[in-house]
Amino acid sequence: MKKLLILLSLFLASAAALASDLPYDEKADAKAELRQTLAAARQSHQPVLLIMGANWCEDCRALDAALKSGKSAELLARQFKVVKVDVGNFDHNLDIDAAYGHPIAKGIPAAVVLSPDNQAIYATRAGELADARRMSETGIYQFFERVSKVGRDAK
């Protein structure tokens, strides 16, 4: 019985650690987070990078990992206010997706660049990031470097 309790404790601890590494908060109030991020963007005069995805999505997790380190992380921190929105199994926060022209229609992760006054100035409409796990770190950086120019031009 003691061994079973130890195994159960280890399992729960590892499950909790794994859940904390997931990129999308499934319980978040996405609309409130988006409003807060837009308010911060108005203060800093930076565009918002809205990334939509889901924790079950391997490409979404790969993109998130690539954006947390190296040149991509530096670029995003310098150029954008970032907000991530969970779309579940294409059944969560679909009103946000609809508000920006359904960028998840061709796959996730999807990205939208918003001006600080909440105008969509770029969106992935052709599934540009839907194969993120096969994009190199350099490929992801180059994609967001191009996208950041769109954001800068819209200021």
Side-chain angles (χ1 to χ4, degrees):
M1 181 64 137
K2 198 177 215 180
K3 287 182 182 180
L4 181 60
L5 287 174
I6 291 171
L7 286 175
L8 181 60
S9 297
L10 289 173
F11 172 76
L12 291 175
S14 63
L18 181 61
S20 68
D21 290 341
L22 295 175
Y24 296 91
D25 183 350
E26 296 170 0
K27 294 180 180 8
D29 182 342
K31 288 180 195 152
E33 287 187 8
L34 182 55
R35 278 192 306 272
Q36 292 168 350
T37 304
L38 284 163
R42 284 189 293 278
Q43 294 293 317
S44 66
H45 305 287
Q46 286 182 294
V48 171
L49 177 62
L50 169 63
I51 300 177
M52 292 181 266
N55 291 325
W56 58 263
C57 169
E58 196 173 330
D59 292 299
C60 299
R61 291 191 314 269
L63 178 66
D64 188 68
L67 297 180
K68 286 182 177 176
S69 65
K71 293 184 342 180
S72 293
E74 294 168 13
L75 175 70
L76 266 58
R78 191 173 58 245
Q79 297 295 328
F80 297 103
K81 296 293 184 188
V82 179
V83 63
K84 294 185 289 186
V85 172
D86 174 58
V87 297
N89 288 308
F90 297 93
D91 61 355
H92 211 85
N93 295 311
L94 297 183
D95 51 341
I96 295 173
D97 172 58
Y100 302 112
H102 299 290
I104 68 171
K106 296 285 184 175
I108 56 175
V112 179
V113 176
L114 303 169
S115 66
D117 62 345
N118 198 21
Q119 299 301 309
I121 52 181
Y122 173 82
T124 55
R125 303 243 188 263
E128 292 90 327
L129 295 170
D131 202 19
R133 66 186 145 176
R134 289 184 179 78
M135 294 172 74
S136 66
E137 184 177 326
T138 301
I140 289 171
Y141 173 80
Q142 289 171 344
F143 174 83
F144 282 105
E145 186 178 43
R146 285 190 306 273
V147 168
S148 72
K149 290 177 184 169
V150 172
R152 282 194 306 268
D153 294 344
K155 284 185 185 179

